[in-house]
């Protein structure tokens, strides 16, 4: 695996982590919205699709309300959004469980931080290798 491929893997993983963070933050922001259904995606599956070169697999088509509207695929990345399994029923139909969301967002942030450290270490190693060959 060359440098570009190696960095591309890290880059794709970081993009998915950012996307997941936005989804989890949206869940938290809508914790008090009646009938809001918490969303998430399977990171491992999304990463596999991205690495297989199928970044838009499983997306949905956008509805067009007028013939003049531009057709869109509604596919913003490799992740296929799913509704989170309801843990506890709420009277207002909201499925956001703040404990689950906080745990997931902390886990996602930790994985993102690990990725940034790995990328930093990779470039540090490259700089050291180039410096030693130039001396």
């Amino acid at each position: 695996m060359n440098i570009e491929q190696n960095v591309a893997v890290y880059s794709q993983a970081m993009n998915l982590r950012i996307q997941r963070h936005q989804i989890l933050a949206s869940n938290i922001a809508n914790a008090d919205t009646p009938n809001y259904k918490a969303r998430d995606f399977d990171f491992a599956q999304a990463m596999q699709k991205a690495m297989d070169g199928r970044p838009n697999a499983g997306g949905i088509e956008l509805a067009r309300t007028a013939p003049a509207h531009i057709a869109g695929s509604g596919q913003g990345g490799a992740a296929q959004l799913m509704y989170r399994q309801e843990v506890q029923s709420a009277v207002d139909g909201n499925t956001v469980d703040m404990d689950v969301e906080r745990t997931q967002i902390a886990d996602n942030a930790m994985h993102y931080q690990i990725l940034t450290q790995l990328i930093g270490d990779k470039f540090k190693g490259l700089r050291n290798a180039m410096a030693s060959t130039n001396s």
Side-chain angles (χ1 to χ4, degrees):
M1 184 180 284
N2 67 28
I3 296 167
E4 182 181 359
Q5 290 171 325
N6 218 330
V7 172
V9 170
Y10 291 138
S11 176
Q12 186 62 46
M14 286 185 74
N15 288 337
L16 287 170
R17 289 288 172 197
I18 291 168
Q19 184 180 355
R20 185 159 188 245
H21 190 85
Q22 291 170 338
I23 292 164
L24 295 170
S26 179
N27 288 345
I28 291 171
N30 286 288
D32 294 325
T33 304
N35 296 314
Y36 181 82
K37 306 300 181 208
R39 307 287 303 261
D40 202 353
F41 65 86
D42 181 339
F43 181 85
Q45 183 183 42
M47 190 65 192
Q48 186 60 50
K49 284 181 183 178
M51 298 319 304
D52 289 347
R54 299 176 288 140
N56 295 328
I60 57 172
E61 290 295 317
L62 296 177
R64 290 176 42 189
T65 56
H69 289 170
I70 297 172
S73 65
Q75 301 166 352
Q80 181 179 2
L81 283 181
M82 298 176 284
Y83 291 104
R84 176 154 306 149
Q85 194 73 292
E86 189 173 345
V87 178
Q88 181 177 332
S89 297
V91 176
D92 65 357
N94 187 302
T95 63
V96 175
D97 180 334
M98 288 301 288
D99 292 333
V100 170
E101 300 305 327
R102 281 189 212 105
T103 301
Q104 292 299 316
I105 211 163
D107 179 70
N108 194 62
M110 180 187 66
H111 281 94
Y112 183 85
Q113 186 174 0
I114 291 168
L115 283 167
T116 59
Q117 183 67 44
L118 288 170
I119 291 172
D121 291 348
K122 175 71 67 182
F123 283 113
K124 184 178 179 183
L126 291 171
R127 277 193 305 272
N128 290 341
M130 286 188 280
S132 66
T133 59
N134 289 334
S135 20

